[in-house]
Amino acid sequence: MKTRMILGYFVVTLAVMSLAPNAPSSLGAVTESSDGTGWKIYSNARFGFSVRYPDDWRLGNPLPDGVGVALSPTVEHSLVAISGHMNIVGGTSQDGRQTIEEFASAHRRIITELYGKKNITVTWRPDQERPLAGFPGRRLTFTYVDSTLGEVIEHHFMSLGRNEGRGIRVKVPLSGEHHLMPMVERMLATYQPGRDQNAVSPLVPKPEPPVAPR
């Protein structure tokens, strides 16, 4: 059950990254002009999060079940997916659910397996601690060679709480990374987790029981 549920989440995000974001937004997406900054706002009704994005990016394909949306930046062949998901997988946290470390580990394993089935070798860079909206999170980065695009890099930003998780997935040809990532960092600085701050509070492993003195 645990593997199947995590796998389902990643299959959705992998699928949307292969689609051209040209469909109208729907199911929890709200777009409105920002206050003179030249950026727009995407708000997700299901998970409550919101983020600003550049006015010249296209808001495209909604992810299934209103979990998020795909954005098309101006850098050719790049995509950014913003999503939320439920944290209902068992783990070693004080609430009996997975910790961010466990989630990140499963993420690496499943991504490696999925690409491996396509005979694509994934090269992982060291994970980084990367807060999201002020809450602890992780940044996972890997590269691979695409038969059409050449070398591609992906950055996955994620946070996880007792009820819900949040994620931003960036895919860009390696040659365009230096053009796109500064804009992504500015976008992440505008990210708001939404109505339930508790949903993205950090989960920590259960404390070890005290050892009785002999």
Side-chain angles (χ1 to χ4, degrees):
M1 171 65 86
K2 177 177 179 179
T3 300
R4 185 164 61 249
M5 297 178 70
I6 298 177
L7 180 60
Y9 167 70
F10 290 126
V11 165
V12 168
T13 57
L14 282 169
V16 76
M17 296 302 281
S18 66
L19 300 174
N22 52 18
S25 59
S26 63
L27 197 59
V30 178
T31 315
E32 57 188 40
S33 296
S34 61
D35 51 359
T37 64
W39 287 42
K40 293 182 178 179
I41 301 173
Y42 168 75
S43 300
N44 183 278
R46 178 174 180 183
F47 291 99
F49 63 83
S50 66
V51 67
R52 293 177 181 269
Y53 63 95
D55 185 60
D56 55 0
W57 289 19
R58 285 180 296 156
L59 181 70
N61 291 327
L63 277 65
D65 301 322
V67 300
V69 74
L71 297 169
S72 180
T74 54
V75 177
E76 192 173 8
H77 302 303
S78 65
L79 286 172
V80 176
I82 308 166
S83 62
H85 62 93
M86 301 303 298
N87 180 19
I88 52 178
V89 178
T92 62
S93 76
Q94 75 273 23
D95 290 331
R97 299 179 186 176
Q98 61 185 342
T99 64
I100 186 67
E101 291 80 9
E102 290 170 325
F103 184 79
S105 177
H107 187 105
R108 285 191 301 273
R109 175 176 55 80
I110 294 170
I111 290 292
T112 300
E113 291 175 356
L114 287 175
Y115 278 92
K117 291 178 180 179
K118 302 177 183 179
N119 296 316
I120 297 174
T121 300
V122 171
T123 301
W124 290 93
R125 295 183 179 179
D127 294 355
Q128 296 178 338
E129 291 189 5
R130 176 57 165 83
L132 187 61
F135 293 96
R138 293 290 186 278
R139 175 179 183 166
L140 277 63
T141 304
F142 61 92
T143 60
Y144 56 92
V145 177
D146 181 272
S147 59
T148 302
L149 302 178
E151 195 165 8
V152 174
I153 188 165
E154 295 198 21
H155 299 270
H156 295 203
F157 303 87
M158 59 189 69
S159 66
L160 191 68
R162 60 176 56 87
N163 298 317
E164 302 174 359
R166 306 283 192 270
I168 294 96
R169 183 168 183 248
V170 181
K171 174 182 176 182
V172 60
L174 189 60
S175 60
E177 180 189 24
H178 65 290
H179 292 296
L180 180 60
M181 291 312 295
M183 196 65 68
V184 169
E185 290 293 343
R186 287 182 58 191
M187 184 187 77
L188 291 174
T190 74
Y191 187 93
Q192 297 297 320
R195 60 187 177 276
D196 186 1
Q197 299 285 330
N198 200 38
V200 290
S201 61
L203 291 177
V204 297
K206 296 177 183 177
E208 293 291 333
V211 178
R214 294 183 178 180

